[in-house]
Amino acid sequence: MAASSSVVSVAAAAAAVPGVSTSADFSDLRDIKKQLLLIAGLTRERGLLHSSKWSAELAFSLPALPLSELQPPPPLTEEDAQDVDAYTLAKAYFDVKEYDRAAHFLQGCNSKKAYFLYMYSRYLSGEKKKDDETVDSLGPLEKGQVKNEALRELRVELSRKHQARGLDGFGLYLYGVVLRKLDLVKEAIDVFVEATHVLPLHWGAWLELCNLITDKEMLKFLSLPDTWMKEFFLAHIYTELQLIEEALQKYQHLIDVGFSKSSYIVSQIAVAYHNIRDIDKALSIFNELRKQDPYRIENMDTFSNLLYVRSMKSELSYLAHNLCEIDKYRVETCCVIGNYYSLRSQHEKAALYFQRALKLNPRYLGAWTLMGHEYMEMKNTSAAIQAYRHAIEVNKRDYRAWYGLGQTYEILKMPFYCLYYYRRAHQLRPNDSRMLVALGECYEKLNQLVEAKKCYWRAYAVGDVEKMALVKLAKLHEQLTESEQAAQCYIKYIQDIYSCGEVVEHLEESTAFRYLAQYYFKCKLWDEASTCAQKCCAFNDTREEGKALLRQILQLRNQGETPSTDTPAEQLTNLKHASSPQL
Amino acid sequence: MMTNGVVHANLFGIKDWVTPYKIAVLVLLNEMGRTGEGAVSLVERRKLNQLLLPLLQGPDITLSKLYKLIEESCPQLANSVQIRIKLMAEGELKDMEQFFDDLSDSFSGTEPEVHKTSVVGLFLRHMILAYSKLSFSQVFKLYTALQQYFQNGEKKSVEDADMDREDAERQMEKEELDVSVREEEVSCSGPLSQKQAEFFLSQQAALLKNDETKALTPASLQKELNNLLKFNPDFAEAHYLSYLNNLRVQDVFSSTHSLLHYFDRLILTGAEGKSNGEEGYGRSLRYAALNLAALHCRFGHYQQAELALQEAIRIAQESNDHVCLQHCLSWLYVLGQKRADSYVLLEHSVKKAVHFGLPYLASLGIQSLVQQRAFAGKTANKLMDALKDSDLLHWKHSLSELIDISIAQKTAIWRLYGRSTMALQQAQMLLSMNSLESVNAGVQQNNTESFAVALCHLAELHAEQGCFTAAAEVLQHLKERFPPNSQHAQLWMLCDQKIQFDRAMNDGKFHLADSLVTGITALNGIEGVYRKAVVKQAQNQMTEAHKLLQKLLTYCQKLKNTEMVISVLLSVAELYWRSSSPTIAMPVLLEALALSKEYRLQYLASETVLNLAYAQLILGIPEQALTLLHMAIEPILADGAILDKGRAMFLVSKCQVASAASYDPVKRAEALEAAVENLNEAKNYFAKVDCRERIRDVAYFQARLYHALGKTQERNQCAMVFRQLHQELPSHGVPLINHL
């Protein structure tokens, strides 16, 4: 009981002593559950709804506690008692979004809780007014200048309190948010780190930190508190920074220690699989998630992307209608509907829904890119370019937008011009074969065959998604009359296809066999040549050639030519076992 | 509002918005209408009318500035405007509403004060329309903005004598904020209105083009631009300026980024502006590729530039855009300059450009053609004719930039042909013409390449004539006008180093010259190698010098750089006769002579003749040498550098002495006297360029002559001079008098 009582006291004082409340391991899940329930309550009292939701969700995934272990709400202090009337009234106003009114009645309150609510309502009131202002401003240039007027005052007051060490974990969080809104990123990061030390349980502070950290190096230099919350944070940020392997490891670990029922973790894993394009796994996880939590809207846009990629029309339609019933004015819903229309080739309507998504949340990045894709489909290249550019403005690291820009210019037949965009996309995703193949194609169009070869080879090396890099490489070699390398590429390609065991028809299979047949024929390896020629006969477009070749081989064999046993034969044995071809 | 599926910032499609400044202007207009004929004198009214247009079209200015402007033309009106604005700002919202209601009255009546379609009338109607479109909250916002505008104006006029407590408190709060916020504030005080931003951009762009030193520094300009883009990301022109700015600091990545961003943005505005969207859109695509080619060319990525250019050409061809194709063709020439047949392209380009009525491109083409032909050895009169013709075009279309280029080109051509006087005259003409131009048109172009070229030529010409202080002054001026990081700075850097190198060589300070070689090589590889060889030769490292020269010779012959080929040939010949084999030098010199005659490079031709005569002298046929010299001495004395003049005179006297050997004593004495005279002249020339080594040689030679003539006193004097100089200067083991 000693441990639990210490938790209560710490949390009640809003964690004045850092680092005591939470341990670094997951040995005591009951304790964690208690902490989660507690923080859910605390955040709810302060109007931090998203953090409260997150904590509650996570707490729900853990086994229920018996009555004896349930915590009583933290006792009220003298200060709280003084402010309880004002707080109760203000909280009611706050809940109905009358922020100014709430702030007015909280003026002069001393308790930490009331003070936080006071500041927070002022902040939210400023944000609300800012959004309203944007609609009717005086002139286009003023639009960019609409600011949350309250931010500066809040910053001054909070920094004064901060210097006097008068801020609790929630206060620090609010201070950080204000700093971030003022674009003072460095200071904001410092404050958020402090906030996580003082009150590690508050997920909001961690989440804000996630948004501010741009690369792995930055992450390395942060001194974060050593608690179990850090595991969730790390997993989340690894997903954000596209370090999917690490993220999946972390999440697996979290599931292993007992969070297997958490819909948050499950959805994050699904998103991670989506990011590494492991579509089947991601799909099955999402289906599972929807069974557990049928009214969930978060992450459903990602799910719809997956359905789109797999062209699963009926499932996508079902999802779209379902979500539309739940809440049709959500960004995710609009996005799913947009995807649905896109799949049905009703691109105009799709674009309309993506626009609606953007109206609901102008910073919703995915919609800009998706809208760009729709415009591409409609052959409205200039609008597509605009949409992609907007996407890049929101997030410079959006590789899909860069890739989309490249594609647009490629369609406009400007292969040199689009090189720049593909390069940017490649920089952001160095191990994605699609950009490399696109780059290679551009180089090929510009007749820069050496570069093109490099790109294709690299695309194959990083794991080709579309299985086209090798064929293209082979064709290049063919063009440059480097028959040996071309043959090796074709062999590798055929091996790849058969090892995959996919039934999908590969158009280039026949070409590969035809080339190989002719190659072996030239090398006078009759057996191999005839095998390949026979394979050729299986395809419509090469049937006649295959037959002709077979005839020729038969003829030559009958003339008594014996297969030579020098280098080509050796090579063949190599090829048969086909280790990595030396290119 | 959506066009083309893109959300627009400008909701009403009106560029004009009511701002407090505009209200102040409206008040002024209203006052002007109210005061009758008699109240304001005619002069004042005229001044006011002149003031109106810039007020209506210019960017927003502060209230105090506005007062001042009005006061300058009509003080009493300024007073009444001030009072009315004060009343409006310190009154109620009702006052402003009333004001706008009354505004439209000026159109009504039998004899309206303002005509509806006049400039003022249009402005008034724009404003009334914009005002009536404002929503309830916007009207209130406008009124508070007006109040603030008025207060800011007041604050400036009435110095803050009494700061009330509230202000003091605010001050305290401000002090508590740390420095970063203040910095942010500074950067946020960027241009506010659309017009202001446009004005800022066009001003900076013009400065970048014409006088870079006056523009903002690259860093601060970039800061301003970033600020501008933060407020209005759709402002595409800012991206282009940022591209230009990045070019200044040679930042290839950021400039590419800005350029592409600009065109991505432009595609929208282009499609919007034209009635048939596809046309404007395709147009910007072509020019995007063309600009990319130019960018790569600027950074020396010729292969990339060619690819981009091919793309531009292809798109332009597909859409039959001949104008764009013309631009491409000109660029194609620039890229293909090294190819032998490039002039065909150029001729074609000029013809087409004339056909499509593109005078700029046409005469630019002519100029390039002239340059190319000059190197190919066409006669001067033809070139000058062509230039004159294109000059006619320039004056007709007042293409002042091309006029400058043309004159700079003439300077260069005259120098190439070795006519220093003409070159000097042309350079001076360009420089003095600038002052004329600036008086007339108010455009000052003194940051262009042609000025740099002309000034460099001027410096070199002065240095040639031994006026080193003048040359240094010119260079100093160049340094100020083209700071080291600017685009054309390399020109004067090279020129400066060359002059220094020549001085060091004259002075016999070879180590100094050697240290300059690296600098020259960095700026111009071929020149650097040549100078390196010259230094090596002077330091008696003959084999190495020979190796370098041979390599350079084959390279330059491949490039068809005739000027350099001849110089190299001359150096090779010198090498031969310095290593006592003048017979081998002869054919080399003859080749050089043939080349320089063919290309009409008079300067190099006379230089060759000098060498030839010297070789003949060594071979023991001074009479031949003398006749040869008589042929060449005239152009040298007329146009040559001081050093060459001295060398020529020295050589003449040497030949005179040598040929006098066979004369009878009386004639011989005469010849020797003449030789002494020539030596004196040579000494004077050498003294001008501080060439003490040569002075020493002359003194030695003169002493010998005086000795032969029996003039002991003069002999002793010369001998003393020789001795002094000989002690000062290290001897490099080269036999005395064994150089030209």
Side-chain angles (χ1 to χ4, degrees), chain A residues 300-318:
Chain A
M300 283 306 125
D301 47 341
T302 318
F303 185 37
S304 77
N305 285 347
L306 291 167
L307 293 174
Y308 180 86
V309 171
R310 277 274 180 265
S311 311
M312 295 157 88
K313 258 189 201 173
S314 52
E315 284 87 343
L316 190 54
S317 162
Y318 176 73

Side-chain angles (χ1 to χ4, degrees), chain A residues 81-98:
Chain A
Q82 272 174 14
D83 293 338
V84 75
D85 291 340
Y87 168 76
T88 315
L89 177 66
K91 185 69 181 32
Y93 287 144
F94 183 92
D95 287 343
V96 289
K97 296 205 161 84
E98 293 180 335

Side-chain angles (χ1 to χ4, degrees), chain A residues 236-249:
Chain A
H236 191 93
I237 198 157
Y238 284 148
T239 324
E240 292 277 302
L241 297 175
Q242 305 274 354
L243 301 165
I244 305 298
E245 289 297 320
E246 287 92 329
L248 282 175
Q249 260 176 21

Side-chain angles (χ1 to χ4, degrees), chain A residues 133 136-137 139-141 145 155 355 375 380-381 386 389 393 409 413-417 420-421 448, chain B residues 4-5 17 135 137-138 141 176-178 181 184 192-194 257 260 264-265 267 281 307 311 314:
Chain A
E133 285 299 283
D136 53 10
S137 58
L141 266 171
Q145 283 170 309
R155 183 185 171 212
Q355 273 169 11
Y375 283 125
N380 187 348
T381 38
Q386 290 315 302
R389 265 290 169 196
E393 220 144 79
Y409 280 109
K413 291 191 206 145
M414 296 172 79
F416 181 76
Y417 208 77
Y420 173 80
Y421 298 105
Q448 307 248 2
Chain B
N4 229 344
W17 290 80
S135 69
S137 60
Q138 279 173 324
K141 243 177 121 185
E176 271 178 24
L177 300 177
D178 50 318
V181 176
E184 181 199 33
L192 293 172
S193 70
Q194 179 104 10
H257 183 74
L260 295 185
D264 285 348
R265 290 283 178 196
I267 283 162
Y281 170 43
L307 289 172
E311 211 156 276
R314 212 198 49 246

